[in-house]
Amino acid sequence: MLKKRFTLAAVGLSTAVALGLTGCAGAADAGDGGTDAATATSLADFGDLAALEAAAKAEGQLNVIALPRDWANYGEVLDLFAEKYPEITINEASPDASSAEEIQAAETNEGLDTAPDVFDLGLTVALQNTDRFAPYQVATWDDIPDALKEPSGLFVGDYGGYMSIGYDSSKFPAPESLDDLLGPDFKGSVAINGDPTQAGAAFAAVGLATVQSGGTLDDFQAGIDFFSQLNAAGNLLKVDVTTATVTSGETPVVFDWDYLNAAHREANPNWEVVILPGTGYAGYYNQAINKDAPHPAAARLWQEFLYSDEAQNLWLKGGARPVRADAMAEAGTIDEELFANLPAAPEETVVPTEEQSTNAGTLLGEKWAAAVG
């Protein structure tokens, strides 16, 4: 029997969604046969899954953005959706874009067939852009912990993990603390995944540095100070991290989510992943539907698929922690071997609240560029 519970809601989170963003947009009449997909707020508005599938197939397209195929096993997720629905062409735009760039793409392409139908976003960017989302509650809504979903379904956590340090063990010893990275052995070697004012993973790296440096999520200054020191020591690399940069050795030490760092092992067998002892920093990425989606039925079918048992187990295969894991474990629908093999979670875990995320984002906007040069 599986006794391991790991969803981040179990650590007593008080996330933005738990603070109660209010919902918007009312549902169309359920099962009336003439549902406007753009206003549908649940599967009931279409009548059933078959009706939603028919509507999405009639649209024939799905525009996704910022979904690297090696990120949390997105390649298999995309391929399985394409296999299930060959009538729907998936248009994959800008796979390496940041969360902020997803929103920019929606603004730039507003009213065009090329606009993103759906988003995959870090919490900070999701909180800043709720006016761009359409509320939708998937059929498995009740399985998703309340602390990881906006009450009306404007955005919903889907998969997550812990901020970690990946490193090439053939070149470096295992870091046991942040201070280790400040030493001369790590000269010109330490990268974060993006710009913390725009990318969720980089934002979380500063959050981890904050709580590992004696600070709290109420004030990210300690994390900014750490990366300023890392830069002053000549150890900070300003290179966007990809599997190619890890394989080539261009980014031999990387702050990133544990499941993204773990994905590099296939390309570099010497790649190891450490979750530092002490306080851990956790987070989920969120799904949202563009309120102006050019293919609104396909967007909603994509959401239903992402929260199905099939897709949730694919996140697990990618080393991420699916948001429905506890409910699936109880129902016996989770991949038990993969679930049992997840790395142990830190005893103490933090996740920023809405207010903390907003304040940290403001502080980073004001101080990050000057701190790292």
Side-chain angles (χ1 to χ4, degrees):
M1 292 180 60
L2 278 174
K3 303 239 182 232
K4 182 176 182 182
R5 294 178 59 87
F6 73 88
T7 53
L8 305 186
V11 300
L13 307 187
S14 176
T15 62
V17 289
L19 296 177
L21 289 169
T22 56
C24 63
D29 291 338
D32 62 7
T35 298
D36 178 359
T39 64
T41 59
S42 72
L43 193 59
D45 292 341
F46 294 94
D48 56 23
L49 180 60
L52 172 56
E53 290 173 333
K57 290 175 184 177
E59 292 174 348
Q61 304 278 327
L62 173 69
N63 297 343
V64 301
I65 185 170
L67 306 184
R69 297 181 70 85
D70 59 355
W71 176 291
N73 203 27
Y74 250 122
E76 283 199 60
V77 172
L78 288 160
D79 290 345
L80 181 56
F81 184 86
E83 180 183 330
K84 287 174 69 73
Y85 303 110
E87 305 88 347
I88 302 173
T89 299
I90 304 176
N91 304 306
E92 300 179 44
S94 305
D96 294 321
S98 67
S99 293
E101 288 168 337
E102 295 181 55
I103 301 300
Q104 291 167 8
E107 294 171 350
T108 301
N109 294 279
E110 187 170 355
L112 303 177
D113 288 343
T114 52
D117 288 308
V118 290
F119 304 108
D120 178 294
L121 303 163
L123 179 60
T124 301
V125 174
L127 288 166
Q128 294 168 346
N129 294 280
T130 54
D131 59 342
R132 289 214 155 261
F133 308 150
Y136 188 78
Q137 297 183 0
V138 294
T140 53
W141 178 260
D142 290 345
D143 287 351
I144 302 168
D146 289 343
L148 295 173
K149 59 190 178 187
E150 191 280 324
S152 72
L154 285 173
F155 61 89
V156 186
D158 191 11
Y159 60 91
Y162 291 86
M163 187 49 47
S164 67
I165 299 171
Y167 66 100
D168 188 330
S169 63
S170 68
K171 300 177 180 178
F172 303 96
E176 298 178 359
S177 70
L178 289 181
D179 287 346
D180 289 347
L181 301 179
L182 297 172
D185 290 346
F186 290 89
K187 196 80 168 180
S189 300
V190 184
I192 60 175
N193 196 351
D195 181 335
T197 66
Q198 299 188 44
F203 179 94
V206 182
L208 175 66
T210 295
V211 297
Q212 287 275 326
S213 300
T216 73
L217 296 186
D218 292 324
D219 184 356
F220 268 39
Q221 187 61 53
I224 295 172
D225 290 344
F226 167 76
F227 281 103
S228 179
Q229 293 174 45
L230 194 70
N231 184 60
N235 294 6
L236 180 62
L237 279 174
K238 297 164 187 175
V239 176
D240 286 340
V241 177
T242 66
T243 296
T245 65
V246 168
T247 304
S248 68
E250 188 177 5
T251 55
V253 182
V254 175
F255 279 89
D256 212 342
W257 297 113
D258 55 351
Y259 53 91
L260 299 184
N261 263 326
H264 299 314
R265 287 179 177 145
E266 185 174 348
N268 181 353
N270 295 314
W271 194 255
E272 299 291 344
V273 183
V274 169
I275 298 175
L276 292 177
T279 303
Y281 186 106
Y284 272 86
Y285 277 83
N286 299 273
Q287 305 294 341
I289 296 173
N290 185 356
K291 70 176 183 181
D292 299 314
H295 312 106
R300 286 155 176 79
L301 181 60
W302 175 248
Q303 301 301 301
E304 294 290 353
F305 171 72
L306 291 181
Y307 291 91
S308 69
D309 289 349
E310 290 174 297
Q312 293 280 292
N313 273 318
L314 288 180
W315 299 138
L316 192 58
K317 186 176 179 181
R321 303 163 194 269
V323 75
R324 292 184 51 239
D326 288 343
M328 289 170 61
E330 186 173 344
T333 59
I334 202 164
D335 186 313
E336 296 190 5
E337 182 177 356
L338 292 174
F339 188 61
N341 287 337
L342 284 172
E347 289 188 9
E348 180 181 356
T349 300
V350 295
V351 175
T353 65
E354 175 185 7
E355 182 179 5
Q356 289 170 332
S357 293
T358 301
N359 291 342
T362 299
L363 185 67
L364 284 163
E366 293 171 350
K367 297 191 174 184
W368 178 255
V372 301

